[in-house]
Amino acid sequence: MIHVTRLNGKTFTLNALYIESVEEFPDTIITLTTGRKYVVLEKAMEVEKQIVAFYRQVQLLSNPHLRGENEDEEE
């Protein structure tokens, strides 16, 4: 889950697994896979950092293949 703030100042949480896109023009709009959209005060980069932190917390980014790394590569 990530924490974001509505334009009226109220905070709420979103399940990052359902976020399809994050756009900024100039307000940040988060679109979920359901089609629902949320306008938030946070900048797109802040939301993206929270999403990555959430993925790490639930270990979605712990797999080298998901990170784009190849374990067969030797340095």
Side-chain angles (χ1 to χ4, degrees):
M1 303 292 274
I2 65 167
H3 300 279
V4 290
T5 311
R6 295 182 190 272
L7 296 181
N8 66 5
K10 298 202 180 213
T11 60
F12 66 104
T13 58
L14 282 176
N15 187 335
L17 295 174
Y18 294 111
I19 295 175
E20 183 174 330
S21 66
V22 179
E23 303 171 275
E24 189 176 320
F25 41 50
D27 293 327
T28 303
I29 300 172
I30 301 172
T31 304
L32 303 183
T33 56
T34 61
R36 178 117 191 218
K37 296 179 184 282
Y38 294 93
V39 180
V40 298
L41 291 175
E42 289 79 8
K43 297 291 183 187
M45 187 59 72
E46 294 173 48
V47 174
E48 290 169 17
K49 285 180 183 178
Q50 285 193 60
I51 293 169
V52 170
F54 172 76
Y55 285 172
R56 284 193 178 121
Q57 180 184 356
V58 297
Q59 299 183 349
L60 279 177
L61 293 180
S62 63
N63 186 329
H65 298 289
L66 294 175
R67 292 192 310 256
E69 298 173 9
N70 187 345
E71 62 187 37
D72 294 336
E73 292 178 1
E74 294 183 26
E75 295 181 16

